[in-house]
Amino acid sequence: TQLLEQSPQFLSIQEGENLTVYCNSSSVFSSLQWYRQEPGEGPVLLVTVVTGGEVKKLKRLTFQFGDARKDSSLHITAAQPGDTGLYLCAGRDNFNKFYFGSGTKLNVKP
Amino acid sequence: KAGVTQTPRYLIKTRGQQVTLSCSPISGHRSVSWYQQTPGQGLQFLFEYFSETQRNKGNFPGRFSGRQFSNSRSEMNVSTLELGDSALYLCASSLWAYDLNTEAFFGQGTRLTVV
């Protein structure tokens, strides 16, 4: 059982569409990070959120940390083929242990 | 600056053998973490080292071990390999171990296949 559950697991959309990926847990995290991983590469950090209710924007990507710091979402506006990849959320708990979510595989078709 | 370097990139081993993987962190980074990534289990935390000391350990059997040297380079060792150990092993380096905002930079990984 994953401590961090991501949904959906797979997402295939057309270029220009919007999408939201969710990361949920029953545990509280002191911080949460989102990564994107491309085939054959290691994950690359997109953002870190540390405050409950925090919203961060990175160009077309909007990240939100839940008020209770148990969940997060990643919203992509007007998706592009370059957004294709595996999106991973990762949380650090109060014991400083790091957990990764199950991942969402996104495919954006031109 | 140079990124995180993992060697080797690919490795094929036989069941029962042991293997050592190497990770050179970004210059100046003192924290190194190791992860196992498989299609079924996703990314799972193995252990984290900071200043040559293991600070955190995931839920893996004792066959998995690691160490960090004074120059921050790290190695992980897997003994008595099993088929289920086949995975992408990723190393991540960061400046500090306990800063919530610290960014972890990942290497490209070592793809281990056990036959």
Side-chain angles (χ1 to χ4, degrees):
Chain A
T1 305
Q2 292 275 3
L3 198 64
L4 282 164
E5 295 288 342
Q6 284 186 239
S7 61
Q9 267 191 296
F10 302 96
L11 198 49
S12 184
I13 60 172
Q14 289 294 140
E15 182 176 359
E17 290 183 12
N18 301 332
L19 67 117
T20 302
V21 177
Y22 299 93
C23 176
N24 296 301
S25 176
S26 56
S27 302
V28 174
F29 290 95
S30 52
S31 69
L32 201 136
Q33 298 180 323
W34 283 92
Y35 291 82
R36 190 177 85 194
Q37 185 179 19
E38 296 185 28
E41 303 290 329
V44 174
L45 179 67
L46 296 173
V47 78
T48 300
V49 285
V50 296
T51 308
E54 184 175 359
V55 176
K56 276 191 176 177
K57 289 196 174 187
L58 191 70
K59 295 183 182 176
R60 295 178 293 103
L61 277 60
T62 302
F63 304 86
Q64 187 160 6
F65 200 12
D67 290 339
R69 290 186 292 139
K70 291 182 180 182
D71 54 83
S72 180
S73 64
L74 156 61
H75 181 80
I76 301 179
T77 305
Q80 298 175 1
D83 295 328
T84 293
L86 177 67
Y87 288 82
L88 296 155
C89 64
R92 194 178 284 275
D93 68 12
N94 291 331
F95 300 99
N96 210 40
K97 287 204 170 183
F98 212 41
Y99 299 91
F100 273 88
S102 40
T104 294
K105 199 169 269 190
L106 171 65
N107 180 35
V108 182
K109 295 174 282 188
Chain B
K1 57 183 174 185
V4 179
T5 304
Q6 288 188 247
T7 56
R9 285 293 309 276
Y10 303 93
L11 205 50
I12 299 176
K13 288 284 189 179
T14 306
R15 264 184 308 175
Q17 286 187 310
Q18 74 160 25
V19 68
T20 299
L21 312 181
S22 178
C23 172
S24 292
I26 291 172
S27 177
H29 284 196
R30 294 167 63 188
S31 176
V32 172
S33 301
W34 288 90
Y35 299 85
Q36 182 196 64
Q37 187 174 32
T38 59
Q41 298 295 319
L43 250 165
Q44 293 191 290
F45 172 71
L46 280 155
F47 22 67
E48 180 176 32
Y49 287 88
F50 181 75
S51 292
E52 301 177 67
T53 302
Q54 187 180 89
R55 298 291 175 146
N56 260 313
K57 191 175 189 305
N59 297 324
F60 278 81
R63 300 185 296 107
F64 292 81
S65 62
R67 58 178 176 167
Q68 186 180 33
F69 302 96
S70 57
N71 62 357
S72 294
R73 190 177 72 84
S74 177
E75 288 181 347
M76 69 162 278
N77 186 277
V78 188
S79 62
T80 321
L81 283 166
E82 300 176 1
L83 294 178
D85 297 333
S86 295
L88 179 68
Y89 288 87
L90 290 161
C91 159
S93 87
S94 54
L95 267 175
W96 305 110
Y98 296 119
D99 182 347
L100 296 180
N101 279 302
T102 197
E103 179 173 355
F105 295 85
F106 282 83
Q108 290 183 297
T110 293
R111 171 76 61 186
L112 171 66
T113 302
V114 182
V115 297

